[in-house]
Amino acid sequence: MAENNYDVLVIGAGPGGYVAAIRAAQLGLRVACADARETLGGTCLNVGCIPSKALLHASEYFDAAANGAMAKMGIKVTPELDLDAMHGQRRDAVKQLTGGIEFLFRKNKVTWLKGRASFTDAHTVQVGDQAVTATNIVIATGSAVTPLPGVTVDGEVVVDSTGALEFAKVPEHLVVIGGGVIGLELGSVWRRLGAKVTVVEYLDQILPGFDGDVRKDANRVFKKQGLEFRLDTKVTGVTVQGGKASVSVEPAQGGEGETIQADAVLVAIGRRPNTDGLGLDQIGLGVNARGQIETDHDFHTAVPGVWAIGDVIPGLMLAHKAEDEGIAVAENIAGQHGIVNHAIIPSVVYTWPEMAGVGLTEEAARAKGEVKVGKFPMAGNSRAKTNHEPDGFVKIIADAQTDRVLGVWAIASVAGTMIAQAAQAMEFGATSEDIAYTCHAHPTHSEAIKEAAMAVRGKAIHV
Ligand code: FAD
Ligand code: NAI
């Protein structure tokens, strides 16, 4: 076999691509994975999930010390911010985790090809200066920031999420364009470290895609923490002069505009699939109106031998969705039956408290048929109360006839961890009664899930 010929070539080493490469190698296939970055792990490990969580975690400690939460527990401290050290531990987390994937590639004998990849034909890809052939090619090129017309990201005053991870000093006033996941996570980081933060959101509520009650309560909780929201508002342009930004805004439906002065502006209005320069025209593969590559349920594209997964295909743009698709596509290539249940993919916003959900929102469930809803406040949960975490709730939406759980939504300090239980229950086809009669350890935040399930039938204990 020629050196540059593989059973599988994966383009992109993010959570979709690197997982697909490792799984394919585990299944006995000869695998290479090409990525244009210097380090493995894609957006998630280099400039996404991991560095943002490193800053969220560290800033949470700083905030707890600064806002009196520690003093409330008898710990008197006056915190001093060492931003360089905070960035240092972020960079260290990224280095360790990207290095970890390199180790896993070596261990599983996946060949790492450094360079930008472009199709020559359906089985040949040019990676840098070498031509690589493969029987199967998996496109896992991920996504990049959606640009906003009239706003130029200069990487200093006007930044995207990557720039907002790197601010060398805390901005006095940060304007965030977009009240979605990135805006709220990174807005929270800089608010905690001392910035005034104004979030400008085009829609009438933050966090589109989340359950209506979560969106409303999230807005209340973030406002209490000092984030300012300009809802129903669109940004029409940003100008930068002398290191300061003027952000022009106007009502979303039109009307009189105004200007907001800021030291920094974060553009976070969504992400779009990465297909530029990939040479899709060389293989006759098109994209849909949103720029995504369409696949069937098994992740085949319209071109035989070419598969696609992750942010570059339709669906939620989440690392765990990409990872699961990576495993499934490798299994399908190896002749097995890889499946991803796209109806049960949890979403988590890693703010304080965390916001999480899985399955249908109450609005979507009601549009489909009759439902029963059980809600339990975290204020009634003994662990949350003891830990001084009064905000949030768990809500369970069940089918009115069958009692099958259709969706679970939560705001709680550890909602991201709690939601795994809900996802698993839903995968097993659980009813709310199944959850209500499952013994949950006491005192844990997860007891709120049991109580919400009991509330579906109107019988929660601690309210
Ligand atoms: P990516 O991770 O984008 O990887 C694709 C890789 O392909 C990149 O390295 C890219 O350089 C490379 N590439 C692209 N084109 C080519 C080419 N032609 N040749 C060679 N290489 C190429 N998701 C979560 O689930 N949880 C989180 O907490 C979370 N936090 C996030 C925070 C931020 C700030 C951002 C921006 C995103 C976050 N996400 C999070 C989303 C998550 O990062 C993505 O959903 C995930 O990385 C998608 O994985 P992927 O493998 O499809 O693509
Ligand atoms: P998003 O889609 O979550 O939010 C974008 C927000 O910007 C929306 O609320 C939208 O209404 C608003 N918007 C769009 N155009 C606007 C305009 N012109 N003016 C004002 N507001 C406007 O996208 P975001 O936050 O950029 O994140 C991108 C993706 O990254 C998400 O889809 C998410 O899946 C992923 N991500 C996931 C995280 C997690 O799982 N914790 C963390 C960060 C990102």
Side-chain angles (χ1 to χ4, degrees):
M1 195 184 288
E3 206 192 317
N4 272 349
N5 182 47
Y6 297 89
D7 297 320
V8 184
L9 168 65
V10 182
I11 305 176
Y18 84 71
V19 167
I22 291 173
R23 189 79 187 111
Q26 285 173 345
L27 292 169
L29 300 169
R30 202 172 119 83
V31 184
C33 181
D35 197 293
R37 285 177 201 275
E38 280 306 304
T39 47
L40 297 170
T43 304
C44 174
L45 270 63
N46 289 284
V47 292
C49 325
I50 296 306
S52 60
K53 264 79 262 179
L55 287 185
L56 278 158
H57 184 65
S59 62
E60 200 170 290
Y61 274 84
F62 183 84
D63 195 37
N67 73 10
M70 281 191 174
K72 210 173 190 173
M73 293 184 284
I75 309 161
K76 284 191 178 175
V77 281
T78 307
E80 186 188 337
L81 181 61
D82 181 347
L83 188 54
D84 286 346
M86 199 177 276
H87 281 315
Q89 59 90 40
R90 164 179 62 82
R91 290 191 191 103
D92 195 45
V94 169
K95 192 167 169 218
Q96 287 189 32
L97 290 174
T98 55
I101 308 302
E102 207 176 321
F103 163 79
L104 291 174
F105 269 18
R106 277 198 304 274
K107 183 177 159 192
N108 289 284
K109 302 194 170 43
V110 173
T111 304
W112 173 14
L113 305 171
K114 268 193 203 179
R116 185 150 289 279
S118 185
F119 280 97
T120 313
D121 62 46
H123 296 286
T124 314
V125 170
Q126 190 71 26
V127 182
D129 56 10
Q130 56 180 319
V132 182
T133 55
T135 314
N136 296 279
I137 297 175
V138 180
I139 303 172
T141 49
S143 63
V145 180
T146 305
L148 178 58
V151 181
T152 307
V153 171
D154 60 23
E156 287 185 15
V157 179
V158 184
V159 297
D160 56 17
S161 56
T162 303
L165 294 168
E166 296 277 356
F167 285 137
K169 66 180 181 56
V170 179
E172 250 174 66
H173 185 194
L174 170 66
V175 168
V176 177
I177 309 177
V181 195
I182 291 181
L184 294 169
E185 287 190 354
L186 293 179
S188 288
V189 165
W190 296 106
R191 201 280 311 154
R192 292 168 186 171
L193 299 181
K196 170 181 155 80
V197 176
T198 305
V199 179
V200 182
E201 166 58 51
Y202 185 82
L203 300 175
D204 62 357
Q205 191 50 280
I206 56 172
L207 280 181
F210 278 63
D211 181 86
D213 277 347
V214 172
R215 297 176 71 188
K216 211 162 42 189
D217 208 38
N219 188 302
R220 183 189 64 80
V221 168
F222 290 132
K223 266 191 199 152
K224 208 166 71 173
Q225 294 174 0
L227 286 174
E228 285 178 17
F229 291 100
R230 301 290 301 269
L231 304 178
D232 266 324
T233 304
K234 68 177 172 202
V235 171
T236 52
V238 176
T239 54
V240 177
Q241 208 169 24
K244 302 270 180 200
S246 300
V247 183
S248 304
V249 297
E250 63 179 49
Q253 308 315 326
E256 205 174 320
E258 60 176 299
T259 303
I260 308 174
Q261 302 300 329
D263 306 277
V265 178
L266 163 59
V267 183
I269 59 160
R271 294 178 62 81
R272 61 177 188 186
N274 272 334
T275 54
D276 283 355
L278 192 54
L280 292 183
D281 48 335
Q282 299 292 318
I283 59 170
L285 185 58
V287 295
N288 67 17
R290 305 186 63 190
Q292 298 156 326
I293 297 174
E294 298 271 358
T295 69
D296 66 9
H297 194 61
D298 296 329
F299 309 105
H300 291 111
T301 68
V303 177
V306 179
W307 312 67
I309 56 167
D311 279 10
V312 79
I313 71 169
L316 292 171
M317 287 182 155
L318 294 173
H320 41 282
K321 177 248 189 198
E323 287 189 58
D324 284 8
E325 290 177 348
I327 291 173
V329 78
E331 293 178 349
N332 288 333
I333 288 170
Q336 300 183 354
H337 300 286
I339 292 170
V340 177
N341 180 359
H342 287 101
I344 305 182
I345 303 221
S347 291
V348 182
V349 190
Y350 296 87
T351 46
W352 179 266
E354 292 176 346
M355 330 260 153
V358 61
L360 296 180
T361 61
E362 185 175 338
E363 297 77 24
R366 284 196 189 282
K368 286 186 172 216
E370 215 186 316
V371 297
K372 292 179 299 179
V373 176
K375 209 170 159 185
F376 184 81
M378 292 313 290
N381 174 271
S382 59
R383 187 65 181 276
K385 204 158 175 62
T386 307
N387 290 1
H388 313 283
E389 299 160 357
D391 289 319
F393 61 86
V394 176
K395 169 163 144 179
I396 296 189
I397 302 141
D399 183 291
Q401 264 79 50
T402 63
D403 192 34
R404 195 171 168 148
V405 177
L406 303 174
V408 179
W409 295 87
I411 297 185
S413 59
V414 288
T417 305
M418 289 160 68
I419 209 68
Q421 169 197 343
Q424 193 165 40
M426 287 171 69
E427 277 291 352
F428 290 176
T431 60
S432 77
E433 188 181 43
D434 290 330
I435 298 178
Y437 285 103
T438 299
C439 190
H440 286 62
H442 174 78
T444 58
H445 295 83
S446 296
E447 286 173 286
I449 295 187
K450 178 187 171 91
E451 293 257 24
M454 293 165 90
V456 171
R457 288 154 172 258
K459 24 172 223 184
I461 299 289
H462 295 97
V463 275

